[in-house]
Every structure is written in structure tokens, then in C-alpha cells.
Amino acid sequence: MAGIVRMGLRAAVGLAWLNASGAWAQAPAPALPVAQAFENYSQQDAHEKLFLHLDRSLYVGGDIMWFKLYAVAGSRHQPLPLSKVAYVEVLDAKQRPVLQGKIELKQAAGHGSFQLPATLASGRYTVRAYTNWMKNFGPEYYFHSTVTVVNTFAERLPAAADSAGIDVQFFPEGGNLVKGLPSKVGFKVADKTGRGLDAEGVLLDPQNKVVARFKTLKFGMGRFAFTPTEAGKAYTAVVKLPGQQTVTSQAPAVNEQGYVLSLDDAGPNQVSLSVRASGPAAASGPVYVLGHAGQQAFVATSLPLANSQGQLLLDKSRLPEGVLHFTAFDAQQRPVCERLYFQRPKAQLSISAAADRRQYGTRDKVSLSLRTNDGTGAEAPANLSVAVYRLDSLATRAATAADISSYLWLTSDLPGVIENPGYYLRDSSAEADEAADNLMLTQGWRRFSWDKVLAGGPLPRPYVPEFNGHLVQGRVFNKHTNQPAAQIPAYLAAPGVPVRMYSSLSDANGAVHFEVRDLYGPKNLVLQTNTRQDSIYRFEIHNPFSAVFVPRPAPGLALPELYRPELTQRHLQMQAQNAYFRKPLSAFAQPLADSVSLYGKASELYRLDDYTRFKVMEEVMREYVPGVQVRLRKDGFHFMVVDKVSGAYFDDDPMVLLDGVPFFDINRVMKMDPLKIKTLEVMDGRFMQAGLMYSGIVSYTTYKGDLAGYRPDARALVQEYEGLQWEREFYSPRYATAQQQQSRLPDLRNLLYWNPQVLTSSASGQQLEFYTSDEAGKYVVVVQGLADSGLAGSRSFTFEVKASGVAQAR
């Protein structure tokens, strides 16, 4: 008989254990090394996820793509205000970025937009999103979604892509096939774009005898059971597809000895986890089983093997929700088997969304009512995003847009592309349960390596969270040796008002880090050291976007000629929008930026227009600025700022800034035309920034904050740099008056409404209003959102727009 352990699951943070009598006991000290190592790892690894709600999944060249970002904790999906910046990219089929943006996150949410180039080629594109912290865990962990772009300027429609290649893969449950041990094998049959195919087939032993038959259940996936009897010899699968096409594929190799892990339902309320062993493994001692979900362990126990088999019975009602990982370790703490299990979440954010009517005329007002609850009827305030767009034949051919619930619970924890992930959450039938388990068999994955977890110690994390704002990072090199230079002061500035300058001391690898504030839009960054002291160094500024990519199937885009009328209409819509509404579509909201300079309120402030104007800077400094002494030495001019503490003057030059850019050569400052200077500020006393000390600050500001034609030192690095994206304002015409109704400007909007910041309260929900366009047809309302509790949900419904008499006359 197999050794059977019956146990519940831990409900609190501390791991629970089963003692020899079968009763619950607190974990002994020291704890199980595997469990303790995993807990230590989890404490160092803040699990962050991003979800991106796109306004649509199909665009034409020239359209604006709108999106909303949700940042959540990986364990329970509550909003996680860890990072203040997200990186969003649009990639072509060859993984080349065609659009990139840095999006500001506030309270774990952010929103932005991309203007798609009118010349963008037709095809499928990938939109991906991540934070700087997420770059530590690889691109598999980033958010990915597929969108379709059609270039309506092209004369020829996109031709059908060749998807004839067939990919057949087999996945032994737990990872191993072992001679003499019964096993389940998951399989997947797909074309080269990753789309699952219906198929059936047989498994042949080395003597070409049929040992198993199989058939796909859903999305090209299925399973079969068999007991391999020969090791080191090939088992062959013969797969038949519709149309009588036959594919032959090799099954995974069979080991002479080892472990096999299996998960099975043991009645309506229990799950059975079994481990079987063969050969020396069967006599090597117990196995250890660790179960975890969302970086949190929920079971850890020693499982004795009786007659080479051990069984663990788990209470389904106490299992965590989502994708669960079970790993078996041998007596030497080496991982030998792993299996995933999906526990469908019981509760989701329930969104009640309804329009005031089912049918509208053109240029008609639509009123939406939104409420949210926790699924039991109790109100649940939530942060929502809403899109309303026209459903034409092109939109129905686009890839299904991701929904927040299925992404957070399923897609984000599995590799690759999952067909229709929402199916696994919406459908609770026995077939859906089996299909979900097939998915777990064929797409297993974890975010970490057990070798690193078990090794213990601090984990290498080269990418730090951007807690307070965007991090501009770079490196200092010695020009002569081309080696990184350590302990070199570096100064970063973006000319402008208010004055912003940042400093950093290079580390042992020459790296410098600057936590910048209010850096929006295109800028020219100036990075330098004190060129009067250090003139042998050069700099580079790193690209903050990830340079690693995960292979993803690229489904081809084929549009038959029958779609030509829709494409023509889309082309007219885009052209009309850009021709008649270019100005409102290009409006950007100004962020609420801090207007205080880096040194706060200046000790002395001089508005030079209030004084008699001199044409020489030396006269200005000597006549108007008593807090700064001008000295002429052998090497030229020097400034001395008074120390407000002692009343004496500092011996060293202060930090001198022009529009925030350091100028270390006072001789260059004295040659400036004072008529180009608007204000002069002096900070007396010492000033410390990032570990660097300045003997006061003298700051000049030009009228436009653009250096007024003066250039930084020739040895400084001046580089174009895109800051945080400006927030584009969504434009939607209003037709509240008769005059507005009679406007002769054509309104051919396909996207009627986009609102990324809809907040529902426990008291009244939310009411939204917008107007229809001149385009009749069926429109869909898509609402996605997240509650503070971590409940996520989505809702969609449609309404009709009929051509009105006014629209027909126009």
C-alpha cells in the first residue's frame, strides 16, 4: 500500500506541518530547508504584474492607440504602488520596436497613447509592458498582447500567411517518463502561428504496437495515459489532422529509473498528489513536496514512500486560487518533478454597466451607468477604464482582446500564447475543468530557478524599482583605458525651468544613477563631470527599454477582397479625423509639476529687469550680488559664496548653474551676455546632494530656459532623451445644442469614447455621457477594472446606432 498523508493547508503565513500522529503541529526549528529557502527567496522578490487595457484590438495606420495600465501585486492582485514608471512598446513581427513610451504610474495606475504612423505596414503587432523591476525576471514575465494594424494606403490587401507547418509536442506529467511507472502525457497540436488544431492519433512502442490512443479536447490540447515498458528506445506518435494529413513525431525519452508525479481529483472535494519512484530512488528515502502560488507557499511536507509510492490528499476548499505549483524534491533536496494545477477563482469584481437605451440616432447622447460589487452584492469601489467602439467586420477578425481577470489569474503565470483564456474562468463545466488541466500539463513554467532559490543568500537584482520617479542610468569610462571609472562625481541636467540638476558618484562598475523629477517629453540631457578637475572621462546614457524578447508566434494577416469596402470606410474615418480634428486630437494635459528648484527657496533672488542693465556679467555680479565675491586669480575668475553659518566666505567655487546645467569654468560664465539672463539666485551655505557637497549655489536662468544659445562644455555628453509621456486628452465632440447638431464637419469616429480614469464609489457608482458619431452600426462598450481588494473584472455589451433624418440630410 502507498503511504497516504491527509492534510489541509496553511491558512496563515507560517507553514503548517503534519506530525507522525496526523495532527497539525507548528513547523519545527529549523524549518525544512526547501521551504525555508523558498520563504527567504519570496521575501526578497516583490512580485509585480502589469495589465494593459487597450481601447481596441484593430487599428488602421494613423489611428491613435489608447491604453490604461494596472500595476498589481503578484500574489493577491491588489494595486501595488511599487513602481512609478511603466515601459510600453509596440513590436513588429521581428521583435523590433516601432513605438515606445515611458508612462507615469500614480497609485498603481497610469494611461497613455500612441499615434500610429500612417506608413506602418499591415500585420500583427505585439504590445508589451513592464517596469524596471520586472526586467530582473525576463521578458516572459512582461505583459504581452497582440493587435492588428491595417495600412489603408496600401493598394494590395494583406495576403494569407503560410501556416501549414504543424507542431506536435508531448509533456509527461511531472516532467518524466520512467520505465514501469504509469504516467499521464499532455500533448498539444498547433500550426506554426500557435493556433491549436483538432487532431487524433496513436502512440506506438518500439515494436510499432499501439499502446495508447488520443484525441484533442479543446484548443489543440489533450492527454492520454500509458505505462512505458522500455527505456532508451523511441516511442512514436502518429497524429492525424482534418483533411487526412498525418504527422509523425517522437515522444519524450523514457528513463530507466526516477520519479513520476501525478495529480488527480479524488472526489468532489479532494485532490490527490501521488509520487512514484523506481530503481535506487525508491529506496533513497522520503520525498519533499512544496506547493506555492503567487510566490507564497501553502503546503510543505515530507512524503514517505511505501512500496515505492506516496500519496498526499489535499482539501480543494482550502487550496489557493489561480495557478498552483507543486514540486517534489528527493532526499538530497533536488527538484525531481513539477506539476501545475488551476484552481478557478470563486470571486471576481462584478461590474454592472448599462446604457440608458438600446438604440440611438447619429449625434445622439448616450448615458452609461456603472456600478461595481464583490460578486455577493456588497459594493466594491473600483478603478475602471471604458472604451466604446464600432463593431464592423474588420473588428471581428482581430485577435480577442485580453481581459484583466483571465490575464491576472492565468495568462500572467503561464508562458506563451493562450487561446481564449477567458474560457477557463467563465466556464465551470467538467469539460472546461479538463481543458484547464490540459493547459496546466502543456504550459508549465515558473519565474525562478530552483538552483538560485536553494543556494540562498542575496539575489542579484541589477534593475531596481523606480520608487519615486524615472531613473536615468549611465556609466563613466576612462577615455584612455576605456575601462569603467569608479568614484567619479557625475552631474545630469535637462535645461529648463524650474532648475533641475542631479548628481551621482559612480560605483565600482562606473555606474551612475539619477532619480529625476518631472522629466516629461523630449529633452536634451547633459551629463558631465567637473571638467576643471576631471577631463579624462567620457559618459554613456543607457536605454531604459528592455533589449531582450520572448519568441512569440506571429499569426499572419489575410484580408480577402470582400473587406475592401470596410477598409475604404476606415480610411475615410481616419483621414476625416486627422483633417478636421487634428488640433483637439493633439491636445495634451499639463502635469502638475513641482515648481520649486532643487535647492528650494533661494537665499537671494535678483530679477535683472528690475535693475539698471549692465552689458558685462562682472559688473552685474560686483554691483548687485553682495552674497557672491568675484575674485580674479592666475587661472581666471572665481566666485566665493558667503557661509550663512560662520559669516565667512567659502574658499571653493560654488556650483554655478545656467538653466540647471553646471558650468564649472567661471571664465565662460563671465563672458555671458547678462541681457539674456532673466533671474539670478544665490544659495548661501553648504548644499549636499546625493553625497556630494557644494560650497553654495549660483543659478542663472534665461528667459526661455533653453541656455539662450550657450553650449555646455565640449567634454560633456549631450543626448536627446524622451522623458515621461505627456498625457494626451481624448477628444469627443458634443452635440448638446441645435447649432452643434447642425455642424457640417463630418464626424466619422470609430472610437466614440475612451476614459481610463473612472472611479466607482460605494455610494453612487458612476455616470458617464458621450455622443454618437455620424457612423451607424453596432457599437460595443468594454469596461475593465480593479478593486482595492484585488478583485478584477470586465463587462461588455452592445448598442445600435441608426442613421437619423438629420444625418441622412447631411
Side-chain angles (χ1 to χ4, degrees):
M1 292 289 292
I4 301 179
V5 177
R6 301 176 185 273
M7 65 186 301
L9 303 167
R10 67 164 188 154
V13 174
L15 292 176
W17 300 82
L18 202 71
N19 62 21
S21 64
W24 282 104
Q26 193 63 28
L32 179 69
V34 168
Q36 187 62 58
F38 181 78
E39 188 167 348
N40 293 341
Y41 172 87
S42 299
Q43 290 174 354
Q44 300 181 56
D45 181 15
H47 189 182
E48 185 181 31
K49 292 182 181 180
L50 283 183
F51 174 75
L52 187 144
H53 175 196
L54 287 158
D55 62 319
R56 291 163 287 178
S57 56
L58 184 139
Y59 304 87
V60 300
D63 268 345
I64 297 176
M65 174 189 292
W66 304 86
F67 52 84
K68 164 76 173 283
L69 285 153
Y70 297 86
V72 305
S75 55
R76 300 182 184 275
H77 303 156
Q78 298 102 326
L80 180 66
L82 175 69
S83 299
K84 297 299 182 291
V85 180
Y87 300 88
V88 182
E89 300 178 278
V90 179
L91 311 177
D92 66 13
K94 295 183 179 180
Q95 306 278 32
R96 295 173 302 196
V98 296
L99 291 164
Q100 295 178 314
K102 306 176 187 78
I103 309 303
E104 185 175 22
L105 298 177
K106 298 177 182 178
Q107 298 302 313
H111 55 93
S113 62
F114 287 130
Q115 177 88 52
L116 301 180
T119 57
L120 202 59
S122 297
R124 310 283 189 187
Y125 290 79
T126 297
V127 180
R128 72 173 186 170
Y130 51 91
T131 64
N132 199 54
W133 175 249
M134 289 167 64
K135 291 193 290 187
N136 290 302
F137 309 102
E140 300 86 356
Y141 185 50
Y142 303 167
F143 172 89
H144 292 85
S145 184
T146 300
V147 297
T148 302
V149 177
V150 180
N151 187 329
T152 58
F153 289 93
E155 293 182 4
R156 300 178 59 183
L157 296 181
D162 178 17
S163 59
I166 304 301
D167 182 30
V168 180
Q169 298 184 65
F170 295 93
F171 305 87
E173 185 178 24
N176 308 311
L177 288 176
V178 179
K179 178 182 175 181
L181 298 183
S183 299
K184 285 200 294 286
V185 179
F187 68 92
K188 184 172 184 179
V189 183
D191 63 21
K192 70 178 185 181
T193 69
R195 182 175 59 91
L197 302 173
D198 292 334
E200 59 183 24
V202 295
L203 184 70
L204 307 177
D205 67 10
Q207 289 75 41
N208 285 329
K209 179 183 176 181
V210 175
V211 294
R213 297 181 182 275
F214 53 85
K215 185 178 182 180
T216 56
L217 174 70
K218 198 85 174 173
F219 307 122
M221 293 177 289
R223 71 176 70 192
F224 61 87
F226 88 113
T227 302
T229 57
E230 298 187 58
K233 295 183 179 179
Y235 283 74
T236 303
V238 180
V239 182
K240 183 185 294 185
L241 291 95
Q244 303 303 309
Q245 181 182 0
T246 300
V247 177
T248 301
S249 180
Q250 294 295 314
V254 178
N255 299 322
E256 183 69 37
Q257 59 189 28
Y259 296 88
V260 169
L261 181 151
S262 63
L263 274 178
D264 298 281
D265 283 336
N269 301 314
Q270 287 187 318
V271 175
S272 168
L273 183 151
S274 299
V275 178
R276 296 180 175 88
S278 170
S284 64
V287 296
Y288 301 93
V289 176
L290 176 72
H292 65 91
Q295 296 296 100
Q296 294 186 351
F298 58 86
V299 63
T301 188
S302 172
L303 184 62
L305 299 182
N307 297 325
S308 305
Q309 181 177 343
Q311 184 181 20
L312 182 67
L313 294 178
L314 302 169
D315 185 349
K316 271 188 182 180
S317 66
R318 300 183 67 185
L319 286 173
E321 296 177 334
V323 176
L324 283 55
H325 298 244
F326 291 95
T327 307
F329 300 81
D330 64 12
Q332 286 74 45
Q333 310 285 313
R334 296 174 300 196
V336 293
C337 294
E338 190 162 70
R339 173 70 150 89
L340 270 60
Y341 181 82
F342 183 62
Q343 177 84 332
R344 187 177 291 109
K346 299 179 180 65
Q348 296 186 49
L349 180 68
S350 177
I351 301 175
S352 173
D356 57 335
R357 287 182 279 159
R358 294 184 178 180
Q359 190 175 108
Y360 299 88
T362 55
R363 303 196 178 190
D364 209 349
K365 186 170 79 172
V366 180
S367 296
L368 294 183
S369 175
L370 300 176
R371 291 179 180 273
T372 52
N373 65 69
D374 64 0
T376 67
E379 297 289 348
N383 187 343
L384 308 176
S385 44
V386 181
V388 184
Y389 60 92
R390 186 171 178 264
L391 278 177
D392 56 17
S393 56
L394 286 173
T396 58
R397 285 185 63 87
T400 303
D403 73 89
I404 189 169
S405 295
S406 62
Y407 178 80
L408 295 180
W409 286 112
L410 192 64
T411 308
S412 61
D413 288 328
L414 297 175
V417 179
I418 300 173
E419 287 187 68
N420 194 7
Y423 163 78
Y424 302 101
L425 270 71
R426 291 190 301 267
D427 195 332
S428 58
S429 66
E431 180 181 272
D433 289 343
E434 184 179 348
D437 207 45
N438 289 340
L439 181 68
M440 298 299 105
L441 282 169
T442 58
Q443 296 199 231
W445 174 66
R446 55 181 134 82
R447 301 172 60 248
F448 53 83
S449 163
W450 275 116
D451 292 340
K452 294 180 180 178
V453 174
L454 297 176
L459 299 170
R461 295 290 184 253
Y463 303 103
V464 299
E466 294 178 296
F467 290 116
N468 300 309
H470 180 46
L471 281 174
V472 175
Q473 302 182 76
R475 185 158 292 183
V476 189
F477 294 90
N478 186 300
K479 288 181 180 179
H480 302 312
T481 65
N482 209 33
Q483 295 298 311
Q487 297 299 300
I488 303 301
Y491 307 92
L492 179 79
V497 179
V499 172
R500 295 278 190 265
M501 189 273 292
Y502 309 91
S503 57
S504 177
L505 195 65
S506 62
D507 64 16
N509 297 314
V512 288
H513 310 271
F514 307 94
E515 191 175 78
V516 299
R517 295 163 50 197
D518 304 328
L519 189 71
Y520 294 94
K523 298 289 185 181
N524 282 321
L525 294 186
V526 181
L527 179 57
Q528 60 184 318
T529 187
N530 186 335
T531 51
R532 298 203 70 171
Q533 299 176 359
D534 305 304
S535 60
I536 62 170
Y537 301 105
R538 68 175 180 85
F539 294 87
E540 65 179 28
I541 295 176
H542 296 162
N543 181 353
F545 289 94
S546 176
V548 290
F549 304 89
V550 60
R552 286 174 62 85
L557 174 63
L559 292 176
E561 193 63 31
L562 63 90
Y563 290 97
R564 178 72 69 179
E566 287 287 1
L567 286 172
T568 301
Q569 184 63 17
R570 284 291 190 104
H571 182 80
L572 291 174
Q573 291 170 353
M574 183 270 295
Q575 292 286 75
Q577 285 289 95
N578 290 332
Y580 297 107
F581 303 104
R582 181 179 297 275
K583 185 175 180 179
L585 289 172
S586 301
F588 293 88
Q590 295 297 315
L592 296 175
D594 189 350
S595 61
V596 179
S597 298
L598 81 144
Y599 43 79
K601 185 178 179 180
S603 307
E604 301 174 24
L605 169 62
Y606 302 92
R607 295 180 177 86
L608 298 190
D609 285 339
D610 295 341
Y611 299 84
T612 300
R613 281 297 203 168
F614 292 105
K615 295 182 179 181
V616 179
M617 186 64 74
E618 182 180 358
E619 292 181 325
V620 172
M621 300 303 296
R622 292 186 185 279
E623 295 294 331
Y624 297 147
V625 191
V628 179
Q629 289 279 340
V630 179
R631 292 288 184 265
L632 185 60
R633 299 171 184 166
K634 290 183 179 180
D635 59 348
F637 286 101
H638 291 268
F639 287 164
M640 297 169 60
V641 173
V642 68
D643 181 359
K644 63 182 177 183
V645 176
S646 65
Y649 286 93
F650 293 116
D651 293 330
D652 300 327
D653 285 323
M655 172 60 73
V656 180
L657 305 173
L658 176 64
D659 291 332
V661 177
F663 275 65
F664 297 100
D665 187 350
I666 307 299
N667 294 320
R668 293 190 65 204
V669 175
M670 299 302 277
K671 292 179 182 179
M672 291 180 183
D673 183 355
L675 298 180
K676 294 182 178 181
I677 304 301
K678 181 179 180 181
T679 60
L680 167 59
E681 294 179 297
V682 178
M683 187 73 182
D684 58 15
R686 295 192 183 274
F687 184 82
M688 179 176 285
Q689 183 188 46
L692 299 177
M693 185 78 74
Y694 313 132
S695 298
I697 295 176
V698 177
S699 177
Y700 300 91
T701 304
T702 64
Y703 285 90
K704 294 183 179 180
D706 59 357
L707 298 182
Y710 295 104
R711 294 184 178 182
D713 190 281
R715 290 160 290 190
L717 172 65
V718 181
Q719 181 172 314
E720 293 182 355
Y721 194 88
E722 192 73 28
L724 300 179
Q725 188 182 89
W726 296 105
E727 291 185 4
R728 188 191 302 266
E729 296 179 333
F730 181 80
Y731 173 70
S732 178
R734 293 181 59 82
Y735 299 109
T737 67
Q739 183 179 4
Q740 291 170 331
Q741 284 275 343
Q742 296 298 326
S743 170
R744 300 185 65 84
L745 292 179
D747 184 356
L748 305 181
R749 287 173 296 135
N750 176 275
L751 179 68
L752 295 184
Y753 187 72
W754 167 253
N755 191 336
Q757 300 185 89
V758 179
L759 302 177
T760 59
S761 67
S762 57
S764 59
Q766 186 64 264
Q767 304 294 317
L768 306 176
E769 292 182 351
F770 59 90
Y771 289 83
T772 62
S773 65
D774 295 339
E775 289 288 297
K778 179 182 288 187
Y779 288 80
V780 62
V781 179
V782 179
V783 186
Q784 308 229 40
L786 184 72
D788 289 343
S789 63
L791 289 177
S794 59
R795 171 86 165 88
S796 64
F797 67 92
T798 61
F799 62 81
E800 292 280 347
V801 174
K802 298 290 187 180
S804 65
V806 172
Q808 290 171 350
R810 227 182 355 258

